């Protein structure tokens, strides 16, 4: 699969409400944890967390729907505490690093100063 982890994460995040309808109807929920190399890591919550049918729900509901919506080779893993279902530490989680957050803040502050100068000068 030729997509960036960030792109897959963002696409899944966008479609989670639609995919969650079935899980929600059974008193559960889906939390998106991360993405790495075409694999999406989720955790089923509520009544679906720890349910004996959670593997079936992950593969036959969540993965199937995300494959239809995003890419046919997408894989979904329910991180459920078992050794075989662990998310890699370097998976993209959608959270900005401290350096990325600092860079964004500096950019916003610089942009804000330019707007103030333009306003003072009358531009």
């Amino acid at each position: 699969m030729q997509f960036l982890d960030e792109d897959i994460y963002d696409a899944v995040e966008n479609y989670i409400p639609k995919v969650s309808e079935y899980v929600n109807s059974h008193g559960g929920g889906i939390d998106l944890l991360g993405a790495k190399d075409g694999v999406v890591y989720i955790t089923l919550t509520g009544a679906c967390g720890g349910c004996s049918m959670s593997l079936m729900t992950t593969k036959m509901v969540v993965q199937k729907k995300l494959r239809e919506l995003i890419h046919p080779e997408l894989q979904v893993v329910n991180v459920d505490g078992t050794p075989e279902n662990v998310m890699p530490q370097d998976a993209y989680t959608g959270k900005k690093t401290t350096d990325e957050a600092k860079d964004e803040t500096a950019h916003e502050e610089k942009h804000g100063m330019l707007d103030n100068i333009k306003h003072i000068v009358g531009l």
Side-chain angles (χ1 to χ4, degrees):
M1 199 176 320
Q2 66 275 16
F3 299 105
L4 298 174
D5 296 336
E6 294 88 349
D7 293 338
I8 293 172
Y9 183 93
D10 291 344
V12 172
E13 188 174 46
N14 181 56
Y15 285 118
I16 281 288
K18 184 174 189 121
V19 175
S20 295
E21 291 172 1
Y22 173 82
V23 176
N24 293 341
S25 73
H26 287 86
I30 303 172
D31 287 342
L32 174 59
L33 302 177
K36 175 79 174 159
D37 298 330
V39 180
V40 175
Y41 297 90
I42 64 165
T43 188
L44 296 176
T45 61
C48 294
C51 172
S52 61
M53 295 299 289
S54 63
L55 177 61
M56 182 74 76
T57 300
T58 301
K59 297 301 179 188
M60 299 305 292
V61 176
V62 180
Q63 179 172 281
K64 181 180 179 202
K65 192 65 175 172
L66 289 175
R67 282 181 170 183
E68 290 172 9
L69 295 167
I70 299 170
H71 194 279
E73 295 177 18
L74 192 72
Q75 294 180 46
V76 178
V77 172
N78 178 29
V79 178
D80 59 5
T82 58
E84 61 271 7
N85 294 331
V86 176
M87 183 174 75
Q89 289 186 351
D90 62 342
Y92 178 78
T93 61
K95 298 176 184 164
K96 294 180 181 172
T97 65
T98 304
D99 289 339
E100 289 172 332
K102 284 180 185 176
D103 288 346
E104 189 173 288
T105 301
H107 176 75
E108 288 171 1
E109 288 174 359
K110 182 178 178 182
H111 184 70
M113 283 194 328
L114 288 174
D115 285 343
N116 286 340
I117 292 170
K118 288 178 183 178
H119 178 70
I120 291 170
V121 175
L123 297 177

